[in-house]
Amino acid sequence: MRWLPYKSKQLFLLLLKVALLSAVCFFIYHKLTANQELSWINFRDQLQSISWKAFIVLFIFTVLNWSLEIFKWKKLTQKISAISFQQSAFQLLSAHAVGILTPNRIGEYGAKPMFFLKKYWKKIVLYNFFGNISQLLATVIFGTIGIAFLLNNCTFQFNFISHQQLLITSGMSVIVLFFLRKSIWFQQQFNKIKKAFLQFSAIQQIQILGLSIGRYLIFSHQFYFLLVLLNVDISYIDATSCIFSIYFLASILPSVFLLDAVIKGGVAVWLFSFFQVEALPVLAISLTMWLLNFALPGVIGSLLWFKFQPRFDLKFSALWK
């Protein structure tokens, strides 16, 4: 009697893994073929001037980017279990494959706990939340610097908003936040953030934030390296200010895996247009960044799920093998 239920569960799990891999591959294919602003031929033409040595450097950027994220997850979970770098990579990439198919990658909060015993699930959710908050904080820090520079750069002007209008808008936002902080929803969210921060000492918080900043600088300079490879005529300061602003603006917009590159690409084209940079190379760079840092790890993560074997007798208290 127990043989059929167990085999049924195994078959159901296999179907889920195949469905996940198929979904990731479909979305990548859709992104490469259905983009009306950047056809596959134009994308290929933009990248054909890049040598294979340069592609190796781009891949190294991606490896460094994810290595820091893997180290960060290893450090976040060390209070529960001293997992190895390999185990951390397995958990992180597998959860990434699930997360990128959900709005704002919320699926990670459900995937990562599966690699730990059920009694640790709430802590894992808090640790993951703290890791995401630290990465968002790095984005806000550099994004604020980038936007501040663009607003004060004499060669950059917003044609549709004046500094006075921006000041009024900021003032109204502060007033809204003042009244919002008294709401129950705001207090609940604030308590979640506070609880997540209290899980770690000040030194650990600094270390995790440092890893987040390091990761941010790596993938932002990967973007700049692509600008150089495509011979885009823009200074380093102007380019990095745009890049910092792109990730800041994109981070506050809700998105799913399919629209993530579209949002970043649209914001990138808009910002770089103020420096007379053509849209085509910017779109090609945004798509390349998406493929290297989101799509490729997503495919790897979906394949790693085939090595994951939950113990059904423990009600999915999972053990990594």
Side-chain angles (χ1 to χ4, degrees), residues 108-127:
E108 288 185 359
Y109 290 93
K112 286 181 177 178
M114 293 183 65
F115 301 102
F116 298 87
L117 296 175
K118 191 173 183 179
K119 63 180 180 180
Y120 298 125
W121 284 7
K122 290 184 179 179
K123 289 187 176 181
I124 291 298
V125 171
L126 282 176
Y127 295 166

Side-chain angles (χ1 to χ4, degrees), residues 67-206:
S67 293
L68 288 184
E69 185 68 6
I70 291 168
F71 274 119
K72 186 169 73 174
W73 180 244
K74 186 176 183 296
K75 191 149 194 78
L76 285 168
T77 58
Q78 66 181 2
K79 287 186 176 181
I80 292 179
S81 176
I83 61 176
S84 65
F85 181 86
Q86 182 184 9
Q87 289 173 314
S88 179
F90 182 94
Q91 295 173 10
L92 197 67
L93 291 170
S94 299
H96 173 72
V98 177
I100 56 180
L101 297 175
T102 56
N104 287 355
R105 299 171 63 182
I106 197 172
E108 288 185 359
Y109 290 93
K112 286 181 177 178
M114 293 183 65
F115 301 102
F116 298 87
L117 296 175
K118 191 173 183 179
K119 63 180 180 180
Y120 298 125
W121 284 7
K122 290 184 179 179
K123 289 187 176 181
I124 291 298
V125 171
L126 282 176
Y127 295 166
N128 187 57
F129 181 73
F130 178 73
N132 290 338
I133 286 293
S134 66
Q135 195 65 56
L136 179 61
L137 183 58
T139 302
V140 171
I141 291 172
F142 287 99
T144 303
I145 295 173
I147 291 176
F149 178 83
L150 293 179
L151 289 173
N152 291 282
N153 186 358
C154 60
T155 63
F156 185 94
Q157 293 181 347
F158 283 109
N159 296 324
F160 60 88
I161 186 170
S162 65
H163 286 80
Q164 291 80 5
Q165 291 172 323
L166 183 63
L167 183 62
I168 293 174
T169 303
S170 301
M172 293 179 63
S173 300
V174 171
I175 294 174
V176 171
L177 288 174
F178 176 78
F179 288 102
L180 182 62
R181 71 183 183 87
K182 295 185 178 181
S183 67
I184 297 177
W185 178 86
F186 183 87
Q187 292 177 3
Q188 290 176 341
Q189 300 305 312
F190 179 79
N191 289 332
K192 288 181 181 179
I193 296 176
K194 182 178 179 181
K195 187 175 181 180
F197 270 79
L198 291 177
Q199 299 289 317
F200 303 92
S201 65
I203 295 178
Q204 291 173 326
Q205 292 175 15
I206 294 173

Side-chain angles (χ1 to χ4, degrees), residues 27 30-31 100 250 253-266 290:
F27 284 130
H30 186 276
K31 182 57 193 171
I100 56 180
L253 298 173
S255 64
V256 294
F257 175 74
L258 185 60
L259 299 178
D260 185 73
V262 176
I263 291 174
K264 286 187 174 68
W290 179 83

Side-chain angles (χ1 to χ4, degrees), residues 9 31 46 56 151 154-155 187 214 230 248 271 285 289:
K9 291 175 182 177
K31 182 57 193 171
Q46 287 291 317
I56 292 177
L151 289 173
C154 60
T155 63
Q187 292 177 3
L230 296 186
F248 173 74
L271 288 175
I285 290 171
M289 289 288 295

